[in-house]
Amino acid sequence: MAAPVEVCHVACCANRAGGGAVSWGRGGLLAFGSCHDVVLYEPAVRRAAAALRGHVGRVNCVRWVRRRDGASETELISGGSDKQLILWEWNETGTWNNHHVKSIPLKGHAEAVCAVDAVYQSDEPDLDLLIASAASDSTVRIWSRRGSEAKCIEVLQFGNGFVMDVCLSFLPGSNVPILACGGDDCKIHLFIKQKGQFQKTLILPGHEDWIRGVEWAVCGQDLFLASCAQDCLIRIWKVCTKSKQLPETEDDSIRLKENVLTVQDTDTTYAITLESVLAGHENWVYAVHWQPSFSKDGSMQQPMRILSASMDKTVIIWEPDKESGVWLEQASVRVGEVGGNTLGFFDCQFSPDGSMIVAHAFHGALHLWKQIAVNKKEWTPEVVISGHFNSVEDVKWDPEGEFIISVGSDQTTRLFAPWKRKQETEVTWHEIARPQVHGYDMRCLAMIGRFQFVSGADEKVLRVFRAPKNFVENFSNITGIPMEKLCSHESSDLPEGATVPALGLSNKAVYEGDMALQPAEDAETFNTISNQYPEIYFQPLILTEPPPEDHLLQNTLWPEIQKLYGHGYETFCVACNSSNTVIASACKASKKEHAAIILWSTTSWKKLQSLLFHNLTVTQLAFSPNDKFLLAVSRDRNWSLWRKQDSLESGPVFSCCAYTDKNTAVHSRIIWSCDWTPDSKYFITGSRDKKVIIWGQCDLSLTSEENMLDSVKPCSTVLDVGDSVTAVSISRVLAPDGRYIVAVGLESGKIILYTWKQRGQEPALSDWTTCVELDNSQSHALAVKRLCWRHHAGRAGHNDESSSEWLQLASCGADHCVKIFNVNRFAL
């Protein structure tokens, strides 16, 4: 039997935690911290392989433990804001996921952990592991792992200073560990293990601002250290063995000052010199990394190439000049964003073979570049995972089930679709547009037909967006759906795209004629202020694959076609009916007059009606699939049912036909969520009091209001799900035996699938069946904010509508994730 639920797609991005949040392993897995999880992403197949769950705070740093022999890593270490480190050990069977990975927590720090590094003390990886971690409690802790137990063996105090980065290695030609720490005192502290403990041996001054990154590299008989700081500079230091020689005769030649250190245990002397200072960045340099060493002819080779990431929006690859051996930016490559409304990069990594580089931008987005085989100097952007960098508040399928749109507290609206490639059968999901980049946290959205949606943010207006021509063309290219199917007759007058004016918040439509009006860029036109900031940033692109981050930021916006004014406070929920004629919306409220539901017409965009009933915020609205009813649930612990009366010319009129009050209410806490069964007979409510209840029947034959009020009552027994219910959704497609399929999302992040069918006259507990409780790594790490089933059977991008066993469920959560699950309805 196939597994009833599999994860089809995870959209997430790296935490905004400074350098160190990303690490690329030799096995090809890219590990990064995303909210409380460590996500393992496979760039080769473009999908998230696993999420390791264990931290209860933000993951700040992730590091693969490099094997000395150059084999793929079997261990990964991460540190988080929950003051602990976790060592993840893979048992080398199957794939990296929660079933095959054992976690060892290392507790001891008193504040958030911000940097970590680890080395094996011998070539046998199962033996001792030495770990160094830095935290905001001004200490660096040294841990030792033997067998399956790990303990803290030493604490290095830094007074009231902070250490930003740590790195461990061994002195040349010996097995003596050396630790480099860089921090806010602008000096690099070197500690060497002597007589069983680390002793501060040397301080390397030179940087003029906080040091952000340090990393060792072993090259032959020498040891190199690269360091970067907020003074925009990178320094490369060289450690080599110094032979005992006669005192030098004083000559006047200019020589670099050598720092000398002696190890008592082995009585060897080492000299440390400054090899080079690299100036090329124009802002803080957050990270510096060496290209990983590789195994060649039985020994490890270290390429002389380093990668640096900076807040000046660029990533530079540095290498020494072939002839002179001097490190130059000329011999190097610079990639990064030009323009856009972002800040710079936090971190960067080489792929194991050095042919790709990944960078982690300020907003959490990952950027991937690949070296072109023909011209080694040229790097092109590649498709990579992307997602929201804050809580995701709402997600909806488009009516045809070809894509999903999500909104989040990161102030963006994102559109994800399946990418269908000509040769391959594999379908992967990607963010293909960012229709709205706003100035307020987004809260809710509703689809109005196929290429139109309305969204609400923490402001009093609702905004309506329509897809431009450029999007429809690119959507057709990427998903493989022919244009004829997508376009209706009116597509000729659609704008090309959209742009946000320099001081505005609204996306303005850009038409074909507008782009031709921009003057040629010559010196005279640039001198006037208005020409330095062009009116139109939008450039129409013809895409055949999902766009990289910099295009998503400015070339995939949708024009805003309408604003809906009427609410007195921040909008909270919005819904649209099946025939796309009416929108209902509500806002945050603590008084009855503000808790009104407003109905709007989608043709005239005028206010149709204001429905007063609730006393506090209406938390979710849902139209019945047959459009005859509107259901509202509220913070005042009640629901109200509104019935559509005769339509006037202006639009339909709704009146209240059933409700719960103090005496009839079953829920004793806020009702977070509601949904309808596909036949419009029953509806479901889920509340913070851990109860899920199905109500009915909503019979249209009852004419008078009193009859209706009596007939709508609980049809199911109260289902206690064991935790606050934050989202419910009922599939439009029934289970094979005609039962309703219900998805319930909890505050703990869990998602549970039930089926329900009324058997007898009286509600019975046996009407409910628990089908699947998604396991920890599949569900969310924090509260589930919304669940939404695809309206048709089948999987998007697979053209398997007719008799498919598969259903798709989209979910979003406070853990910054949007997930799509494939649910096998025959296995439920």
Side-chain angles (χ1 to χ4, degrees):
M1 190 84 215
V5 180
E6 56 185 49
V7 179
C8 159
H9 175 62
V10 179
C12 57
C13 73
N15 286 330
R16 298 166 60 173
V22 181
S23 183
W24 201 329
R26 288 204 174 104
L29 284 176
L30 186 65
F32 59 89
S34 177
C35 199
H36 297 181
D37 290 347
V38 176
V39 174
L40 304 179
Y41 174 73
E42 284 183 81
V45 293
R46 303 192 173 98
R47 61 181 305 156
L52 306 178
R53 189 156 297 166
H55 284 285
V56 290
R58 184 180 78 168
V59 177
N60 297 328
C61 48
V62 177
R63 190 68 64 93
W64 288 101
V65 186
R66 301 261 180 239
R67 301 267 297 256
R68 284 191 172 190
D69 54 3
S72 290
E73 299 86 351
T74 55
E75 293 183 297
L76 173 75
I77 188 153
S78 60
S81 295
D82 53 359
K83 309 174 192 174
Q84 66 171 340
L85 298 156
I86 295 183
L87 179 65
W88 309 90
E89 298 179 357
W90 176 46
N91 60 15
E92 297 190 57
T93 57
T95 52
W96 265 89
N97 63 30
N98 281 35
H99 302 300
H100 303 293
V101 175
K102 181 166 116 217
S103 63
I104 301 177
L106 309 179
K107 294 189 164 85
H109 279 294
E111 290 294 335
V113 180
C114 58
V116 63
D117 194 27
V119 288
Y120 291 112
Q121 297 199 334
S122 66
D123 293 342
E124 300 297 315
D126 318 330
L127 293 168
D128 306 1
L129 181 65
L130 192 64
I131 301 164
S133 62
S136 353
D137 56 9
S138 302
T139 65
V140 169
R141 280 177 177 258
I142 311 292
W143 315 75
S144 148
R145 196 277 324 259
R146 287 191 177 170
S148 61
E149 64 163 342
K151 56 179 193 293
C152 179
I153 52 173
E154 206 174 332
V155 181
L156 309 175
Q157 298 288 347
F158 281 81
N160 52 6
F162 293 115
V163 174
M164 307 282 177
D165 200 13
V166 290
C167 193
L168 283 163
S169 187
F170 297 97
L171 281 168
S174 77
N175 235 351
V176 179
I178 177 167
L179 167 70
C181 304
D184 62 358
D185 62 354
C186 317
K187 298 179 182 71
I188 298 169
H189 299 259
L190 296 184
F191 294 82
I192 291 178
K193 192 164 188 176
Q194 300 188 42
K195 302 195 174 87
Q197 60 181 34
F198 278 90
Q199 295 175 359
K200 186 182 284 190
T201 318
L202 205 57
I203 289 178
L204 303 179
H207 282 295
E208 292 170 9
D209 206 337
W210 291 12
I211 295 170
R212 284 287 177 177
V214 287
E215 187 163 279
W216 292 107
V218 180
C219 188
Q221 288 305 303
D222 299 331
L223 182 64
F224 287 91
L225 175 69
S227 64
C228 64
Q230 291 178 186
D231 58 6
C232 316
L233 298 177
I234 296 162
R235 289 174 169 255
I236 298 173
W237 315 78
K238 181 176 173 183
V239 182
C240 51
T241 322
K242 196 174 163 69
S243 51
K244 288 220 162 75
Q245 59 199 48
L246 297 164
E248 291 178 17
T249 51
E250 288 292 321
D251 55 359
D252 293 340
S253 60
I254 296 174
R255 194 190 279 107
L256 270 173
K257 173 170 174 258
E258 306 192 308
N259 294 298
V260 181
L261 56 97
T262 308
V263 181
Q264 284 123 16
D265 298 6
T266 56
D267 202 30
T268 326
T269 307
Y270 297 94
I272 298 184
T273 51
L274 178 65
E275 175 85 357
S276 183
V277 177
L278 312 183
H281 284 297
E282 290 155 22
N283 207 327
W284 296 5
V285 187
Y286 258 97
V288 58
H289 294 288
W290 293 89
Q291 182 177 333
S293 52
F294 55 90
S295 171
K296 191 178 174 189
D297 309 331
S299 68
M300 297 301 287
Q301 302 282 320
Q302 171 63 51
M304 288 312 261
R305 265 168 109 199
I306 64 173
L307 187 64
S308 62
S310 159
M311 273 293 147
D312 63 5
K313 304 188 191 186
T314 62
V315 172
I316 301 181
I317 303 170
W318 310 80
E319 41 194 337
D321 187 49
K322 296 277 186 293
E323 284 83 48
S324 64
V326 179
W327 290 79
L328 298 169
E329 195 199 343
Q330 279 71 34
S332 317
V333 182
R334 188 189 278 255
V335 291
E337 304 180 41
V338 181
N341 53 358
T342 60
L343 286 142
F345 292 108
F346 271 146
D347 203 358
C348 54
Q349 288 271 313
F350 273 109
S351 65
D353 61 355
S355 66
M356 289 161 104
I357 52 180
V358 71
H360 162 213
F362 181 78
H363 281 322
L366 294 173
H367 296 243
L368 187 67
W369 291 275
K370 191 173 188 173
Q371 193 171 25
I372 292 183
V374 194
N375 175 8
K376 292 275 193 252
K377 278 278 184 236
E378 203 172 318
W379 294 73
T380 56
E382 286 284 298
V383 178
V384 70
I385 191 169
S386 71
H388 291 273
F389 56 84
N390 209 333
S391 169
V392 191
E393 297 292 324
D394 202 349
V395 63
K396 291 282 188 290
W397 281 93
D398 92 289
E400 302 294 319
E402 302 291 358
F403 61 86
I404 60 170
I405 296 191
S406 60
V407 295
S409 307
D410 61 352
Q411 311 189 341
T412 62
T413 302
R414 299 174 190 240
L415 191 148
F416 300 91
W419 178 23
K420 212 162 179 182
R421 311 198 254 308
K422 296 272 190 298
Q423 297 77 27
E424 302 172 40
T425 50
E426 183 74 15
V427 172
T428 52
W429 283 74
H430 301 274
E431 182 179 354
I432 63 162
R434 204 166 294 168
Q436 185 183 9
V437 178
H438 204 32
Y440 292 98
D441 291 6
M442 303 299 303
R443 180 67 56 193
C444 54
L445 97 151
M447 298 295 301
I448 312 171
R450 186 144 200 203
F451 289 129
Q452 196 164 267
F453 71 87
V454 55
S455 71
D458 283 340
E459 51 172 351
K460 298 175 187 181
V461 290
L462 291 157
R463 297 168 188 263
V464 184
F465 296 85
R466 183 182 291 155
K469 201 191 305 185
N470 187 245
F471 169 78
V472 182
E473 289 163 2
N474 290 336
F475 178 71
S476 164
N477 292 343
I478 292 167
T479 55
I481 302 166
M483 276 295 277
E484 300 74 64
K485 266 189 165 175
L486 300 174
C487 272
S488 49
H489 45 89
E490 81 234 24
S491 68
S492 53
D493 56 353
L494 281 181
E496 277 292 316
T499 184
V500 179
L503 297 171
L505 265 180
S506 309
N507 298 358
K508 257 177 62 181
V510 176
Y511 289 92
E512 226 164 323
D514 300 347
M515 289 175 296
L517 297 175
Q518 294 190 8
E521 286 187 23
D522 47 37
E524 293 127 54
T525 56
F526 192 72
N527 291 341
T528 64
I529 286 290
S530 62
N531 287 325
Q532 287 179 31
Y533 299 97
E535 257 313 285
I536 295 173
Y537 286 102
F538 167 75
Q539 293 298 321
L541 295 167
I542 295 161
L543 299 172
T544 50
E545 56 174 42
E549 179 73 12
D550 26 359
H551 292 317
L552 284 170
L553 278 167
Q554 50 191 36
N555 296 327
T556 61
L557 292 170
W558 289 15
E560 185 181 304
I561 55 170
Q562 197 66 41
K563 289 185 185 65
L564 306 178
Y565 294 95
H567 288 295
Y569 288 92
E570 296 89 343
T571 52
F572 197 80
C573 58
V574 62
C576 181
N577 64 359
S578 313
S579 51
N580 305 321
T581 53
V582 181
I583 297 170
S585 65
C587 71
K588 291 184 182 173
S590 52
K591 287 201 184 85
K592 187 163 184 166
E593 60 265 33
H594 297 133
I597 302 160
I598 299 182
L599 301 183
W600 317 79
S601 156
T602 59
T603 44
S604 65
W605 300 115
K606 292 215 168 32
K607 189 165 157 179
L608 294 174
Q609 216 182 333
S610 182
L611 311 178
L612 273 158
F613 174 82
H614 291 286
N615 299 313
L616 297 169
T617 311
V618 172
T619 50
Q620 198 177 351
L621 293 159
F623 283 96
S624 61
N626 64 9
D627 281 357
K628 298 283 192 263
F629 296 102
L630 167 64
L631 171 68
V633 293
S634 162
R635 197 159 71 105
D636 62 15
R637 306 170 186 181
N638 292 313
W639 54 259
S640 59
L641 186 64
W642 303 78
R643 185 173 171 177
K644 183 173 157 185
Q645 305 294 10
D646 331 320
S647 291
L648 306 168
E649 289 92 64
S650 59
V653 176
F654 282 80
S655 65
C656 186
C657 64
Y659 54 86
T660 53
D661 55 27
K662 264 203 195 82
N663 308 318
T664 54
V666 182
H667 289 298
S668 57
R669 284 278 180 275
I670 178 172
I671 305 178
W672 274 121
S673 189
C674 63
D675 199 14
W676 285 90
T677 57
D679 51 19
S680 303
K681 279 187 186 163
Y682 305 96
F683 60 85
I684 186 168
T685 57
S687 155
R688 183 184 280 161
D689 62 9
K690 308 177 187 177
K691 294 176 188 163
V692 173
I693 302 167
I694 291 180
W695 307 77
Q697 282 198 25
C698 304
D699 196 352
L700 284 168
S701 58
L702 298 172
T703 44
S704 71
E705 207 169 297
E706 287 77 36
N707 300 353
M708 191 79 179
L709 188 55
D710 298 337
S711 72
V712 179
K713 54 186 190 294
C715 289
S716 73
T717 52
V718 173
L719 177 68
D720 186 341
V721 293
D723 192 18
S724 300
V725 178
T726 47
V728 291
S729 183
I730 299 179
S731 168
R732 294 274 176 106
V733 183
L734 303 178
D737 57 358
R739 301 168 68 81
Y740 300 121
I741 303 172
V742 181
V744 177
L746 310 181
E747 199 170 17
S748 62
K750 255 202 165 8
I751 297 173
I752 310 174
L753 301 184
Y754 296 93
T755 56
W756 179 83
K757 189 174 189 181
Q758 192 168 14
R759 290 208 179 87
Q761 286 298 308
E762 287 304 305
L765 197 59
S766 58
D767 294 352
W768 288 103
T769 316
T770 310
C771 302
V772 190
E773 195 168 316
L774 269 62
D775 72 41
N776 250 343
S777 58
Q778 284 182 319
S779 10
H780 291 273
L782 294 170
V784 180
K785 290 287 190 177
R786 189 76 83 225
L787 293 168
C788 184
W789 289 96
R790 187 171 186 258
H791 286 183
H792 315 283
R795 293 168 297 174
H798 284 276
N799 299 335
D800 54 359
E801 303 273 306
S802 48
S803 59
S804 177
E805 56 189 330
W806 294 104
L807 300 174
Q808 283 187 310
L809 172 68
S811 73
C812 64
D815 61 349
H816 314 182
C817 265
V818 175
K819 298 192 179 200
I820 299 171
F821 301 97
N822 293 338
V823 179
N824 187 329
R825 60 191 175 119
F826 296 152
L828 286 176

